[in-house]
């Protein structure tokens, strides 16, 4: 029987009141609800306040470069497909510097769950605009307001037929827990974009701002595999922001058809060093 205590209890470097605490709580609860023990989990992250989340759970983790969360997560899933692999990223990390990896991971469809802490700002580097910052928002370096158009990650993901697309809110832990559980259970690449107030640097999109706008969508409103309806839903932003599962489409999963994985995870196989040597010799 797995318990929340199995995932440890760590001091954090996050600001008091940060939305990241809600995400950490929801993730732990989801893992316990699904009966996933720490040794079955691998969390992969890059750099940022969001990227620190795996430091605060007692389980396997890999912390790499900013913007490069998805390539090692995909590789790890191929090397050991028995692990539940999750990628943890910030909005800057995933939609900015890592935007190309985000698009191609959607196309490739590895069985990886991606949580994006979307605080609509670069938190760790002290408050520059991110791709999801509201147009017109003033920051220390955007004194006249952000000029660039705001990226809509859900619309982008749905347009590219992402296998599972959902949105949660760090201020609604119960709903977020259920959403994360659904995303983990989904087979294929799943995106959970999480509205996460940054209480220190984003004075516009606060807990109050989100709470006044978010609502739980009725997931029976349209068939969840209806891409056009889901796309339309993903355009809702502003006065009303839907939370929940917007789109699900079962697609062939990267790795499932690889012969080399059929007899078990690569990680348990003896490496054939003679083949590696042959390959290296080929470059001599
Ligand atoms: C290759 C590279 N580019 C830029 C940086 C600087 N940097 C570190 S974190 C970060 C942005 C963090 O924003 P986000 O991903 O939204 O995470 P948050 O801190 O808001 O959770 C940047 C630009 C870096 N460490 N490495
Ligand atoms: S700077 Fe913002 S995102 Fe980072 S820990 Fe503080 S409140 Fe959270
Ligand atoms: Mg951010």
């Amino acid at each position: 029987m797995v318990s929340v205590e199995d995932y440890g209890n760590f001091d954090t470097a996050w600001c008091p009141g940060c939305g990241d605490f809600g995400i950490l709580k929801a993730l732990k609860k989801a893992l316990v609800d699904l009966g996933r023990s720490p040794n079955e989990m691998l969390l992969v992250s890059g750099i940022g306040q969001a990227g620190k989340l795996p430091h605060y759970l007692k389980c396997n983790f890999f912390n790499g470069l900013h913007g490069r969360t998805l390539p090692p997560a995909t590789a790890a899933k191929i090397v050991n497909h028995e692990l539940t692999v999750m990628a943890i990223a910030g909005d800057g990390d995933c939609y900015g510097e890592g935007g190309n990896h985000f698009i191609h991971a959607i196309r490739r469809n590895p069985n990886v769950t991606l949580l994006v802490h979307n605080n609509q700002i670069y938190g760790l580097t002290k408050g520059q605009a991110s791709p999801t910052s509201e147009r017109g928002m003033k920051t220390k370096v955007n004194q006249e307001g952000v000029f660039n158009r705001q990226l809509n990650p859900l619309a982008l993901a749905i347009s590219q037929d992402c296998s599972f697309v959902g949105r949660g809110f760090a201020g609604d832990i119960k709903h977020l827990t259920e959403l994360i559980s659904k995303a983990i259970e989904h087979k294929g690449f799943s995106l959970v974009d999480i509205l996460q107030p940054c209480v220190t640097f984003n004075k516009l999109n606060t807990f109050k701002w989100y709470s006044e706008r978010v609502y739980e969508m009725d997931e029976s409103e349209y068939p969840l595999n209806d891409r056009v309806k889901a796309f339309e839903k993903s355009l809702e932003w502003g006065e009303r922001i839907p939370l929940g599962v917007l789109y699900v489409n079962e697609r062939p999963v990267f790795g499932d058809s690889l012969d080399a994985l059929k007899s078990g995870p690569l990680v348990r196989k003896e490496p054939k060093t003679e083949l590696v040597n042959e390959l290296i010799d080929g470059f001599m």
Side-chain angles (χ1 to χ4, degrees):
M1 180 93 171
V2 186
S3 71
V4 178
E5 287 69 41
D6 295 337
Y7 280 95
N9 196 8
F10 297 85
D11 288 338
T12 77
W14 289 328
C15 310
C18 175
D20 284 338
F21 289 102
I23 301 177
L24 178 61
K25 200 167 181 183
L27 174 58
K28 280 188 186 174
K29 178 86 174 47
L31 297 178
V32 170
D33 288 352
L34 294 173
R36 297 285 204 288
S37 56
N39 65 309
E40 293 175 287
M41 296 301 305
L42 171 67
L43 304 186
V44 181
S45 69
I47 306 295
Q49 300 287 17
K52 292 178 188 169
L53 179 136
H55 303 187
Y56 309 140
L57 282 119
K58 191 178 154 201
C59 68
N60 303 303
F61 81 87
F62 177 86
N63 197 174
L65 298 173
H66 182 57
R68 306 288 175 252
T69 308
L70 289 169
T74 304
K77 185 69 191 179
I78 292 303
V79 172
N80 189 355
H81 57 263
E82 288 179 352
L83 286 173
T84 296
V85 179
M86 301 187 73
I88 314 290
D91 44 326
D93 188 70
C94 186
Y95 305 140
E97 188 126 1
N100 55 346
H101 296 303
F102 176 59
I103 292 169
H104 297 292
I106 292 172
R107 293 177 53 231
R108 187 169 282 131
N109 200 30
N111 193 6
V112 167
T113 301
L114 166 65
L115 304 187
V116 182
H117 300 215
N118 187 355
N119 53 15
Q120 304 188 245
I121 201 96
Y122 287 180
L124 187 72
T125 46
K126 301 191 182 297
Q128 301 82 9
S130 85
T132 54
S133 294
E134 305 271 339
R135 203 153 182 263
M137 182 172 83
K138 290 191 177 163
T139 73
K140 276 185 219 149
V141 286
N142 298 92
Q143 304 235 335
E144 291 174 10
V146 174
F147 176 79
N148 290 350
R149 189 167 274 274
Q150 188 180 356
L151 182 89
N152 182 333
L154 304 197
L156 173 62
I158 294 165
S159 77
Q160 297 310 308
D161 205 10
C162 184
S163 191
F164 179 106
V165 179
R167 182 192 282 123
F169 171 41
D172 187 344
I173 294 172
K174 184 173 176 295
H175 180 266
L176 182 58
T177 303
E178 286 162 15
L179 183 62
I180 293 174
S181 300
K182 285 182 196 166
I184 293 173
E185 286 199 302
H186 175 80
K187 194 151 189 286
F189 186 62
S190 44
L191 164 68
V192 182
D193 182 83
I194 306 165
L195 304 173
Q196 174 248 314
C198 165
V199 295
T200 303
F201 294 111
N202 189 335
K203 302 294 184 191
L204 175 64
N205 310 104
T206 58
F207 273 103
K208 183 170 180 288
W209 190 94
Y210 287 123
S211 301
E212 285 168 356
R213 288 163 173 79
V214 294
Y215 73 96
E216 275 184 41
M217 59 179 277
D218 172 5
E219 289 171 10
S220 61
E221 188 180 317
Y222 55 85
L224 288 177
N225 63 355
D226 185 329
R227 186 138 66 118
V228 174
K229 286 262 166 37
F231 187 82
E232 209 177 304
K233 194 79 190 165
S234 72
L235 299 181
E236 260 186 53
W237 183 267
E239 292 311 303
R240 277 170 65 73
I241 303 175
L243 299 181
V245 181
L246 277 80
Y247 184 61
V248 179
N249 190 16
E250 309 283 343
R251 289 170 43 203
V253 172
F254 181 60
D256 274 8
S257 57
L258 292 177
D259 281 341
L261 305 187
K262 289 193 176 136
S263 54
L266 292 182
V267 74
R268 292 216 198 90
K269 292 187 181 164
E270 281 299 316
K272 291 188 179 159
T273 43
E274 67 279 8
L275 291 181
V276 178
N277 290 338
E278 218 175 274
L279 193 67
I280 292 170
D281 288 346
F283 289 102
M284 299 289 190

